[in-house]
């Protein structure tokens, strides 16, 4: 199976981004996690992107906050699919990172998830790998069914408590 890379701009992103790692683990998808910054360690971020395909990665998740150029800088150096997570920061609530990540120029796509959307980033990366992996695709369908069941159970409990 192809691996997923999780790259983040700072260790301060870890508490949120580790949820992407947890999700990949739940699905049995191999991953690597690295802290590389587009601004503070641009050489490492570039080298990783340029060699990711030959190292067996199928998708890259890139999380960054503030002037968040990491996902775009990675996408500029690979044709692997790149998923950007805009991270919330204390000044502008993540709107700065959202706009920096999502507004890519034509030709260099970044699939941007919600602010702090680490779980969805992981799920999207799994969906990308599952295009050519039946077993993974079945796991995704099972998870959807189980999530739906949970919500319907909550609905039943709420209806029972509040409706008369
Ligand atoms: C970004 O700047 C990082 O991704 C992080 O979200 C933000 C702040 O980084 P620290 O100053 O906490 O290291 O590059």
């Amino acid at each position: 199976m192809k691996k997923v890379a999780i790259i983040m701009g700072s260790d301060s992103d870890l508490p949120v981004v580790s949820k992407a790692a947890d999700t990949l683990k739940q699905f049995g998808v191999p991953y690597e996690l690295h802290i590389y910054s587009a601004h503070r360690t641009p050489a490492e971020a570039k080298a990783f992107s340029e060699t990711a395909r030959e190292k067996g990665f199928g998708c890259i998740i890139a999380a960054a906050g503030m002037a968040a150029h990491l996902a775009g800088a990675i996408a500029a150096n690979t044709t692997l699919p790149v998923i950007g997570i805009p991270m919330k920061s204390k000044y502008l609530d993540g709107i700065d990172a959202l706009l920096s990540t999502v507004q890519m120029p034509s030709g260099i796509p970044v699939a941007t998830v919600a602010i702090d959307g680490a779980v969805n980033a992981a799920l999207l990366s799994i969906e990308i790998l599952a295009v050519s992996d039946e077993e993974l695709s079945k796991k995704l369908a099972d998870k959807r069914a189980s999530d739906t069941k949970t919500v319907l159970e909550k609905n039943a409990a709420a209806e029972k408590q509040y409706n008369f």
Side-chain angles (χ1 to χ4, degrees):
M1 190 190 298
K2 295 280 187 193
K3 294 181 286 185
V4 172
I6 304 173
I7 314 295
M8 70 204 82
S10 167
D11 63 340
S12 66
D13 300 320
L14 254 176
V16 169
V17 180
S18 61
K19 293 177 196 157
D22 295 342
T23 303
L24 291 168
K25 212 178 281 177
Q26 280 164 20
F27 278 83
V29 172
Y31 67 88
E32 274 183 29
L33 184 151
H34 300 281
I35 298 169
Y36 297 140
S37 162
H39 305 124
R40 292 166 174 159
T41 60
E44 286 74 11
K46 181 170 185 278
F48 181 86
S49 327
E50 286 174 342
T51 55
R53 187 182 291 276
E54 70 202 46
K55 286 182 182 152
F57 291 97
C59 183
I60 300 175
I61 294 171
M66 301 176 76
H69 298 126
L70 182 62
I74 287 175
N77 289 299
T78 181
T79 53
L80 287 174
V82 176
I83 301 169
I85 309 175
M87 300 298 299
K88 188 170 177 170
S89 65
K90 59 185 170 184
Y91 300 110
L92 294 167
D93 277 343
I95 297 294
D96 44 358
L98 173 63
L99 298 180
S100 304
T101 307
V102 79
Q103 287 290 80
M104 287 297 294
S106 183
I108 312 292
V110 168
T112 305
V113 295
I115 294 169
D116 284 358
V119 171
N120 269 2
L123 288 173
L124 184 54
S125 75
I126 296 165
E127 289 180 355
I128 289 167
L129 299 191
V131 165
S132 57
D133 187 323
E134 282 285 322
E135 198 181 324
L136 208 46
S137 157
K138 164 106 179 48
K139 283 185 188 173
L140 282 165
D142 290 348
K143 160 122 172 66
R144 278 285 172 96
S146 144
D147 288 353
T148 300
K149 187 165 167 278
T150 303
V151 173
L152 291 177
E153 282 165 4
K154 287 179 182 171
N155 171 58
E159 285 178 354
K160 195 172 165 198
Q161 184 175 351
Y162 293 103
N163 295 353
F164 61 93

